[in-house]
Amino acid sequence: MALLEVTDLKMHFPVTTGMFSKTTGHVRAVDGVSFTLDEGETLGLVGESGCGKTTVSRSLLRLIEPTSGSVVFDNIDILKLNPKRLRQTRAELQIIFQDPFSSLNPRMTIASIIAEPLRNHRKLSKKELRENVAYLMKKVGLLPEQANRYPHEFSGGQRQRIGIARALALNPKVIICDEPVSALDVSIQAQVINLLVQLQEELGLSYLFIAHDLSVVEHISDRVAVMYLGKIVEMTSDKELYSNPQHPYTQALLSAVPVPDPSMKRERILLKGDVPSPLDPPGGCPFHTRCHEADSQCLIEEPAYRDLGNNHWVACHKR
C-alpha cells in the first residue's frame, strides 16, 4: 500500500472585488491532482512556473487549506485531522524550501535553526540537543564547529544543506523537496542532489521532488508526473517518460532540455502563445490553446486520464 496517497486534490483561491469583498471567481491553482508515493520512492513533479507544483506541496502539509480532496498518509487522512493530531503527523512529513536564504531565520544561529523542530516535538536536554545538531550537521556535510554561525555566513549550497538538516531532525518518512536546487549553481546542484540520494538510501526516505528542470528530475526520480494548468497530464516511470513521452506538452518540455553532445541536435517543439490564466481556464483540453495536434474534439471535450499500459498515464485524445 502507498505511503502517501493523494486523490482529487483541489486548491481554488477566491477572487474578491468591491467594498464588501464579493467573490467573483476562483483561481484554480490545483484542479484535481491525484498520485501515490511508495516507501523509498522519489516522485518528480515537473512543469512550467505557475502550473501549481508549489501549491500542491503546501496543500499536502496544510500550510494552505485545500478546497477539497484527500491526502492519506500512513492510513491517516491529513485533511481531516484536528490541529493537535496534525502537528504530530507533520513530524513525519517535512519540506525543503526553494530559497535556502529566505527559509532560514537570519537572527538565529544554525544550531538554533536545526534544533527548533526538536524543541517543539521532543523533550531533550541541552546536551542532547547539541549532540543531535552536531550529528545532523555531519550528516549533511557541514562542520559542527559552524553551529554558532548565522545564515548569511554560509554559501547558497551550505544554506540548503542547513535546510536539509532541519528537515531530517524529526526522522521523517516523507520529505517534499520544493525546487531545492533551482537557486543554486549547476555544480552545487549536483552535490545537493547526490546528498539527497545518499540520505534516501541510508534512511529509507520518500521524496516528492518538485522542479521545472527535467534534466534535474531525471537523475533522482523513480517516476515523473508532468503538470499543466493545475492538472497532471502525464505520469509514468522516469525511463519511460524520457524515452517515450506521449503528451504533446511533455514532448515540448523534453525538446527544450540541452543536449551535452554538441554533435547531436534535438528538434525543438516551440509552444505557441502563453499559458492560459487559471482564473479562466479554457474549455476542453487545457492544453489545446498551445497544442500543434489539437482538433475540434480537443476544444470541447476534456480528455480522460487513462493508462496506456505499463502504468503510463496520459490525458490526451490523440493517445
Side-chain angles (χ1 to χ4, degrees):
M1 187 174 180
L3 179 62
L4 179 68
E5 186 172 356
V6 180
T7 305
D8 200 25
L9 183 68
K10 295 182 180 180
M11 184 65 244
H12 297 172
F13 294 98
V15 176
T16 59
T17 57
M19 182 182 300
F20 300 103
S21 298
K22 181 181 178 182
T23 300
T24 56
H26 289 84
V27 175
R28 299 180 182 182
V30 178
D31 199 20
V33 164
S34 300
F35 61 84
T36 59
L37 182 66
D38 295 331
E39 290 188 26
E41 182 187 33
T42 300
L43 174 64
L45 188 61
V46 301
E48 293 172 290
S49 297
C51 71
K53 306 184 299 296
T54 295
T55 305
V56 168
S57 70
R58 279 154 174 72
S59 298
L60 297 183
L61 297 173
R62 283 179 64 183
L63 299 178
I64 53 176
E65 289 292 340
T67 304
S68 63
S70 69
V71 179
V72 178
F73 170 69
D74 217 3
N75 296 321
I76 300 170
D77 191 341
I78 294 174
L79 304 189
K80 295 180 180 178
L81 296 180
N82 59 41
K84 183 179 179 180
R85 288 290 310 280
L86 176 62
R87 186 173 181 272
Q88 295 169 350
T89 304
R90 273 185 179 157
E92 298 186 282
L93 281 161
Q94 294 293 311
I95 186 169
I96 302 168
F97 294 98
Q98 176 177 356
D99 188 342
F101 189 70
S102 64
S103 64
L104 303 177
N105 190 331
R107 297 184 179 184
M108 294 174 67
T109 64
I110 300 312
S112 297
I113 289 172
I114 297 174
E116 188 173 24
L118 295 167
R119 288 197 195 95
N120 291 334
H121 291 268
R122 306 279 190 268
K123 292 182 179 180
L124 302 175
S125 66
K126 289 184 178 180
K127 180 183 178 182
E128 289 172 326
L129 278 175
R130 286 195 301 270
E131 290 174 348
N132 274 272
V133 168
Y135 167 77
L136 289 165
M137 291 185 71
K138 288 179 181 178
K139 199 74 176 172
V140 299
L142 296 171
L143 299 174
E145 300 83 63
Q146 299 172 311
N148 291 322
R149 296 183 183 179
Y150 290 86
H152 73 271
E153 300 179 72
F154 293 85
S155 67
Q158 288 175 319
R159 285 195 288 262
Q160 196 59 287
R161 289 173 186 266
I162 295 165
I164 294 171
R166 179 176 59 184
L168 291 174
L170 298 175
N171 299 316
K173 294 181 179 179
V174 174
I175 296 182
I176 298 172
C177 307
D178 185 9
E179 303 206 32
V181 297
S182 63
L184 306 178
D185 294 337
V186 174
S187 59
I188 307 301
Q189 287 183 6
Q191 294 176 19
V192 172
I193 288 173
N194 290 337
L195 172 63
L196 290 171
V197 171
Q198 177 185 332
L199 292 171
Q200 184 177 43
E201 292 173 352
E202 292 178 4
L203 304 175
L205 299 168
S206 299
Y207 293 143
L208 176 62
F209 193 93
I210 297 170
H212 61 265
D213 188 342
L214 278 164
S215 60
V216 170
V217 173
E218 182 178 8
H219 295 290
I220 192 171
S221 300
D222 300 302
R223 290 185 297 134
V224 181
V226 180
M227 276 192 75
Y228 183 80
L229 209 61
K231 300 176 183 288
I232 292 178
V233 296
E234 183 165 10
M235 181 164 58
T236 185
S237 68
D238 62 327
K239 293 180 180 179
E240 175 73 9
L241 187 90
Y242 287 90
S243 64
N244 184 32
Q246 291 294 308
H247 198 281
Y249 179 60
T250 309
Q251 294 170 356
L253 290 180
L254 286 172
S255 75
V257 176
V259 181
D261 186 350
S263 64
M264 293 179 61
K265 290 188 177 181
R266 177 178 285 162
E267 184 179 350
R268 284 293 308 274
I269 300 174
L270 299 177
L271 297 178
K272 57 186 180 181
D274 297 320
V275 180
S277 170
L279 178 60
D280 185 25
C285 175
F287 187 60
H288 82 256
T289 59
R290 307 175 73 195
C291 181
H292 63 279
E293 297 185 33
D295 59 17
S296 58
Q297 183 185 17
C298 303
L299 272 63
I300 59 174
E301 183 182 343
E302 184 172 351
Y305 186 59
R306 56 195 177 89
D307 188 357
L308 301 182
N310 198 27
N311 209 24
H312 190 153
W313 293 81
V314 180
C316 181
H317 290 304
K318 304 297 181 181
R319 304 295 183 265

